[in-house]
Amino acid sequence: MSAVGDTRKVNTSFDHHSSDIAVDPYPHYKSMRDQCPIVWSDAYQGFWVFLGYQAVWNASRDDATFLSSPPGVGIPDYPIRPQIPLETDAPMTQKLRAILHHHFSPAAVQRLEPTIRELANELVDAFVAKGECDFIVDFAQPLPARTVLRMLGYEEHRWAEFVDLIHTVVHGVTSDPDGAFTAAFALYEEIKGNIAKRKEEGLGDDLVSVLLTATLDGEPLDEEIAIDYILLLLFGGLDTTTSALGNALVRIQAHPEIRDQLLADASLLDDGIEEFLRLDSPVQALARTLAHDTEMCGQHLKQGDRALLVWAAADRDPEQFPEPDELRLDRTGNRHVAFGVGLHRCLGSNLGRTMFRIMLETVLERLPDYELTDDPAQYRFADASSVYGLHHLPARFSPQAPRHTASL
Amino acid sequence: MKVEVDTQRCQGHARCLTIASEIFDFDEEADRAVARPPSELTGIPAARALAAVQACPEQAISIFDADEGAE
Ligand code: HEM
Ligand code: SF4
């Protein structure tokens, strides 16, 4: 290990937003992690990069030392309002999560399964006779978008409009802060207008209504907080789930033996979806801020320092996962952190997993011989640190008659 | 066999539930997993519980009095 300067053992210029690492960030993580589980980067005024599984796990679970409140989870800071409950700390985080968590529980998501499956089949019906599709645009984008909009009680048919604005925010926060800000404001106005309308027409049992009638510390939940919460459900739930499917379809294409195994036995997806999420985490990294000085891995971290927790690097740490770069459908002990760990564990993890699994099952069942027509590398987002995923994924398959399940 | 979920550690990932639904339940109000009492776990192989232990991202599950000895 090379001791450079002060207590920072390994100095780098690692930039998680760089297009140089967008197609395959993993070798970059490996070369840093091989030197030390925590390294320093001098990009963006300097920050710690957490790469080892144990280091990421310890930091994420120690939410009294590693804060999520502003400046928050982006490095550099996001140009938008604090995300709720993502950019809060205990005990506020638990209180905010408690307002919605039973709507994302295993049982609640199980109740949604039939409608999600119906939607998946309806989307496939629309292109199955053509023998070709774009898996992202025709399938993996509308499914989570329409599902989440439905849960929120929004007009589902406007999903493409919402997706456009969300994309501009999620992918612009670093490369185009002005554009991201403008799009976030447009969404904010949209939600605010919708709230006014709902109040007039009467509330229902959708998530927006739940937020509008919620209390926090005995007071009605502030409407601005409710809006920020709704925004995060849109930012957090769409591209992430879309990317999980895109990444898995690329893996399956690259490994014919995996495809054969999955086609022979769909129950392999019980552990399999976890393995896909471990290998290609849609959310690669999120940041924290040090509440006080601390010592970790022989490094001295100071109060106010920023720390980037690279979930995706932790998920390929050989100390935690034997042969970490191998896809093993039957991997046991898969404690991956693709949904984070600790206080801020993804509130939508049950929903994300279920949508991902249903999409994958539907593709394997109805388009078992799909073949990607282009090299997927060209369709990766230019900034892997916003979302590690694809914006297009054209494919061919044997055409079939639609089933029209929805109209039965 | 006695299985315990440490409610301070558990963050409700529900991996345990997916892996061994015969051992775990989910407390909707608390957003936490709970293990069924030992009386409902007789005859269930310890390997089922162990698979959940090994997959729990928060390391919140412990097994006691498994036939092969405590974990
Ligand atoms: C495969 C899909 C998904 C992945 C990989 C993913 C990933 C993550 C990660 C890593 C975090 C932790 C943030 C942190 O610790 O700082 C998180 C938080 C969150 N996610 Fe997801 N997510 C997914 C799907 C969803 C869905 C479908 C929703 C809801 C519609 C959602 C809503 C949220 C919310 C509200 C939080 C904030 C939780 C908190 O701060 O307490 N996510 N997600
Ligand atoms: S897997 Fe662990 S953290 Fe998740 S619900 Fe079960 S015990 Fe809790």
Side-chain angles (χ1 to χ4, degrees):
Chain A
M1 221 172 284
S2 60
V4 191
D6 49 34
T7 53
R8 292 163 190 167
K9 288 197 211 157
V10 181
N11 275 293
T12 72
S13 298
F14 175 68
D15 175 359
H16 46 301
H17 298 292
S18 163
S19 58
D20 297 346
I21 69 160
V23 169
D24 187 6
Y26 290 98
H28 302 268
Y29 301 149
K30 181 181 185 327
S31 74
M32 292 189 289
R33 195 184 48 225
D34 283 351
Q35 299 175 67
C36 198
I38 304 176
V39 307
W40 177 259
S41 167
D42 59 16
Y44 308 110
Q45 289 148 19
F47 61 97
W48 297 101
V49 191
F50 281 55
L51 302 148
Y53 183 90
Q54 203 57 50
V56 168
W57 195 87
N58 288 344
S60 193
R61 291 207 37 113
D62 183 1
D63 53 76
T65 306
F66 291 85
L67 303 179
S68 290
S69 52
V73 301
I75 296 177
D77 303 359
Y78 292 145
I80 54 175
R81 293 152 55 90
Q83 306 183 76
I84 300 292
L86 189 59
E87 296 179 310
T88 63
D89 293 315
M92 186 51 78
T93 312
Q94 290 96 326
K95 292 181 190 171
L96 288 162
R97 289 175 64 107
I99 297 172
L100 286 190
H101 71 219
H102 23 294
H103 296 274
F104 290 96
S105 70
V109 172
Q110 207 174 13
R111 287 192 291 274
L112 293 174
E113 262 198 57
T115 51
I116 299 174
R117 207 172 283 282
E118 196 177 298
L119 178 54
N121 279 306
E122 183 192 322
L123 290 166
V124 169
D125 275 346
F127 57 69
V128 68
K130 284 194 289 186
E132 59 181 34
C133 73
D134 182 330
F135 273 126
I136 301 296
V137 177
D138 299 332
F139 187 58
Q141 249 169 18
L143 187 124
R146 289 175 59 177
T147 303
V148 174
L149 289 174
R150 215 181 262 186
M151 290 174 79
L152 288 166
Y154 282 127
E155 296 141 301
E156 200 180 315
H157 68 270
R158 291 179 56 209
W159 68 269
E161 249 175 273
F162 278 94
V163 163
D164 265 358
L165 289 170
I166 292 160
H167 268 199
T168 313
V169 181
V170 174
H171 299 284
V173 281
T174 318
S175 59
D176 177 17
D178 290 344
F181 181 85
T182 310
F185 190 72
L187 274 169
Y188 171 90
E189 290 285 290
E190 167 74 37
I191 293 168
K192 205 172 165 75
N194 177 277
I195 285 177
K197 199 171 116 208
R198 297 274 183 108
K199 281 182 168 165
E200 237 175 75
E201 291 171 357
L203 301 175
D205 57 0
D206 54 84
L207 299 187
V208 171
S209 300
V210 173
L211 285 166
L212 290 178
T213 49
T215 55
L216 187 72
D217 294 329
E219 301 282 325
L221 181 70
D222 187 290
E223 199 173 292
E224 298 288 300
I225 302 278
I227 297 177
D228 291 335
Y229 211 143
I230 296 166
L231 278 170
L232 182 63
L233 295 176
L234 294 171
F235 295 153
L238 272 55
D239 266 353
T240 46
T241 314
T242 306
S243 298
L245 184 77
N247 292 344
L249 293 179
V250 170
R251 285 269 167 202
I252 292 171
Q253 160 103 352
H255 296 280
E257 74 288 0
I258 297 280
R259 186 191 304 234
D260 292 344
Q261 288 168 29
L262 289 174
L263 289 176
D265 179 3
S267 77
L268 290 173
L269 285 177
D270 289 348
D271 295 325
I273 58 162
E274 305 301 331
E275 181 67 346
F276 287 119
L277 286 164
R278 181 190 71 80
L279 264 180
D280 300 301
S281 306
V283 179
Q284 297 268 300
L286 288 164
R288 300 287 191 262
T289 306
L290 270 287
H292 52 78
D293 291 12
T294 192
E295 220 41 73
M296 271 179 106
C297 305
Q299 313 255 36
H300 187 63
L301 287 68
K302 297 198 190 66
Q303 181 184 5
D305 280 357
R306 308 299 319 278
L308 186 73
L309 310 184
V310 189
W311 318 113
D315 280 342
R316 299 268 195 113
D317 184 344
E319 302 258 316
Q320 181 69 22
F321 303 101
E323 295 182 67
D325 300 325
E326 296 292 310
L327 173 68
R328 287 204 204 146
L329 289 178
D330 60 350
R331 189 181 287 275
T332 54
N334 189 352
R335 286 188 173 133
H336 71 79
V337 290
F339 292 105
V341 65
L343 181 63
H344 292 276
R345 183 273 299 174
C346 176
L347 185 65
S349 63
N350 295 310
L351 179 64
R353 282 189 163 106
T354 297
M355 293 191 292
F356 173 35
R357 180 172 183 149
I358 289 176
M359 288 195 288
L360 203 45
E361 281 172 356
T362 307
V363 171
L364 289 167
E365 191 200 325
R366 300 197 57 189
L367 318 164
D369 63 351
Y370 83 83
E371 230 179 281
L372 305 179
T373 46
D374 301 341
D375 175 6
Q378 64 189 294
Y379 299 123
R380 286 254 168 232
F381 290 116
D383 177 354
S385 195
S386 53
V387 183
Y388 182 62
L390 303 144
H391 44 85
H392 287 287
L393 195 56
R396 248 195 319 258
F397 46 83
S398 313
Q400 280 155 57
R403 288 184 189 165
H404 297 302
T405 29
S407 56
L408 279 182
Chain B
M1 173 171 69
K2 180 171 174 337
V3 178
E4 237 176 52
V5 174
D6 178 341
T7 48
Q8 294 300 310
R9 282 184 157 246
C10 171
Q11 296 291 340
H13 293 250
R15 292 279 288 121
C16 53
L17 210 67
T18 314
I19 290 170
S21 57
E22 73 278 31
I23 301 177
F24 299 93
D25 269 320
F26 203 78
D27 177 343
E28 297 267 319
E29 282 313 306
D31 196 32
R32 297 288 179 263
V34 277
R36 295 188 184 169
S39 59
E40 292 179 26
L41 302 183
T42 44
I44 295 175
R48 302 281 299 157
L50 196 59
V53 168
Q54 290 172 343
C56 170
E58 310 286 345
Q59 306 192 16
I61 309 170
S62 315
I63 312 175
F64 305 93
D65 317 322
D67 296 340
E68 297 96 283
E71 145 82 4

